[in-house]
Amino acid sequence: MTLEILKTKEDLRNLIDHYAYLSDDKKIAEVMDLFTPDVTYKVYMGGALVADVSGRENMEKDFNYHASLVKTYFTLNGQHTVKIDGESAAGISFTQIKMIREVEGKDILTDYSVKYDDSYVAQNGKWFIKNRVAHFMIIEERPIS
């Protein structure tokens, strides 16, 4: 494995980690900077397509709306495997996301186990997410005190 491949793998891992950090802090405008302008983002829950958004502008609206409903996010990234082909790459990553929302005066914790299928592109020496498909594999909800 060359030093260039190792650097690219580190850059791509940092990209998905920055997505998590910024999302947890609800810095949605900064999250959008991690995507190409023509990004596509699909979300599957229980195998059913529940969201299909194209373009950063549309995605930013959706993300801002969703963030307005959430009191707290906490994300933990796990495995991340990539296949690099010059200025493009494909990756799979696994994530645990916890969200706290208020429902009828009670804090509800939703725990998501997510698999992301990503396509990345390098532009001007920087990597971006071009396509993201989120598979919410396990969803658990419970009140917390």
Side-chain angles (χ1 to χ4, degrees):
M1 190 172 304
T2 68
L3 191 55
E4 184 178 331
I5 294 287
L6 289 172
K7 167 107 175 62
T8 299
K9 285 185 173 198
E10 180 183 22
D11 289 347
L12 291 169
R13 177 57 193 228
N14 286 336
L15 177 63
I16 67 155
D17 285 345
H18 280 98
Y19 174 86
Y21 302 145
L22 294 169
S23 294
D24 283 358
D25 289 339
K26 297 184 181 184
K27 295 181 177 177
I28 305 304
E30 292 177 53
V31 170
M32 293 305 114
D33 291 339
L34 304 176
F35 294 93
T36 60
D38 63 343
V39 64
T40 62
Y41 191 96
K42 295 181 180 185
V43 178
Y44 290 88
M45 289 188 169
L49 181 65
V50 297
D52 187 355
V53 180
S54 296
R56 253 196 309 217
E57 188 176 306
N58 292 328
M59 201 163 86
E60 186 169 6
K61 288 177 193 172
D62 281 5
F63 276 43
N64 275 316
Y65 172 73
H66 190 268
S68 74
L69 304 174
V70 176
K71 291 172 74 173
T72 306
Y73 288 102
F74 180 84
T75 305
L76 180 63
N77 286 330
Q79 306 95 306
H80 182 234
T81 306
V82 295
K83 292 181 182 176
I84 302 160
D85 185 13
E87 299 290 301
S88 63
I92 297 173
S93 60
F94 294 87
T95 301
Q96 289 291 129
I97 304 169
K98 296 179 184 294
M99 295 181 198
I100 298 174
R101 296 179 187 91
E102 188 176 315
V103 178
E104 297 177 1
K106 295 181 182 176
D107 283 342
I108 304 297
L109 172 68
T110 307
D111 200 345
Y112 299 99
S113 298
V114 184
K115 174 187 165 195
Y116 291 113
D117 290 314
D118 292 331
S119 298
Y120 312 105
V121 294
Q123 297 174 346
N124 300 317
K126 184 176 176 186
W127 285 93
F128 297 91
I129 301 168
K130 181 170 180 54
N131 302 299
R132 173 161 267 197
V133 179
H135 301 275
F136 285 68
M137 311 296 285
I138 300 170
I139 303 167
E140 181 185 1
E141 236 178 48
R142 63 189 176 277
I144 59 172
S145 53

